[in-house]
Amino acid sequence: MTAPRFTVACDGPAAAGKGTICRAVAAHFGFAHLDTGLLYRAVGAKTLSGMTPIEAAETLTAQDLTADGLRSAAVAEAASRAASLPQVRAALLAFQHEFAAQPGGAILDGRDIGTVICPGADVKLFITASAKVRAERRLQELLAEGADTDFATVLADVTARDKRDSERAVAPMRAAADAVLIDTSCLGIDQAVQAAIDAIAGKLA
Ligand code: DC
């Protein structure tokens, strides 16, 4: 089922399951999907190579989004730091707006989609889970990729990133007042995806 123009905003903290849920939702409804965290990660990666965050954001190319190592903890940290700068966020605005407005429907996931990027989205989701559950999930991902880390390190990283992302002055991570909250702490992937599909199907009907 596709809609001519239909935008879903999906926000929430790191490792809550946004990516998995959004990919499944996009496949189910035929929406295009944008992981906006990847934009900030690509900017963060360029800052680790010595570029200033603003220059990195203003010169971002599609190729930067396919760079190696964008999922690493070091890049996540650099992304979160760069994301606190208003000029960096401003440089990434037009691309996100164009993506959201494309025919056929779009789902964007990030931290400020329902509050800042697409405040008029047809459906807003806020996907969350306890910090311990999120850290355990992220630990398993990192270990599977061969990273040398442990639970305490990952929990500290996740908590520090949550704090910076939710306390920054510009576009802090926050659930929109009209967002549907999905807490995945005690949900399996199928249940979480179904909850998101149900929220969207209700609006598409
Ligand atoms: O979703 P992620 O973990 O890939 O995001 C990496 C960082 O990018 C995150 O810590 C905060 C920032 N970010 C943001 O500020 N706004 C978004 N819409 C998406 C990500």
Side-chain angles (χ1 to χ4, degrees):
M1 190 192 333
T2 47
R5 214 160 262 199
F6 191 91
T7 307
V8 180
C10 182
D11 294 302
K18 298 191 300 292
T20 306
I21 292 171
C22 288
R23 278 191 296 278
V25 162
H28 181 87
F29 291 104
F31 295 153
H33 170 221
L34 178 64
D35 166 9
T36 65
L38 205 58
L39 305 177
Y40 293 91
R41 284 174 182 264
V43 171
K46 288 169 83 176
T47 67
L48 294 179
S49 313
M51 216 181 250
T52 69
I54 297 168
E55 188 187 357
E58 289 176 346
T59 60
L60 203 67
T61 64
Q63 208 182 346
D64 293 330
L65 304 182
T66 62
D68 283 342
L70 292 185
R71 293 279 156 213
S72 73
V75 167
E77 174 73 12
S80 177
R81 288 183 187 282
S84 67
L85 299 173
Q87 298 96 322
V88 167
R89 308 198 71 83
L92 303 178
L93 208 58
F95 178 73
Q96 294 177 82
H97 281 161
E98 277 164 31
F99 192 94
Q102 68 185 281
I107 181 165
L108 289 79
D109 75 84
R111 303 290 189 287
D112 63 337
I113 309 301
T115 51
V116 175
I117 305 295
C118 303
D122 298 280
V123 179
K124 297 177 187 175
L125 306 173
F126 193 84
I127 315 284
T128 189
S130 74
K132 282 190 179 166
V133 166
R134 290 186 290 117
E136 183 57 36
R137 286 180 191 157
R138 185 47 56 89
L139 175 66
Q140 294 310 324
E141 282 171 15
L142 291 170
L143 292 178
E145 289 161 10
D148 177 20
T149 187
D150 57 32
F151 180 75
T153 305
V154 177
L155 180 62
D157 285 352
V158 161
T159 310
R161 204 141 67 87
D162 284 354
K163 185 169 161 56
R164 186 178 312 108
D165 294 343
S166 58
E167 292 182 358
R168 67 181 174 225
V170 185
M173 172 176 69
R174 190 172 293 160
D178 51 349
V180 175
L181 191 77
I182 300 176
D183 186 332
T184 67
S185 302
C186 301
L187 294 182
I189 290 171
D190 291 350
Q191 292 170 301
V193 167
Q194 195 56 52
I197 288 176
D198 291 347
I200 296 163
K203 288 287 176 77
L204 264 174

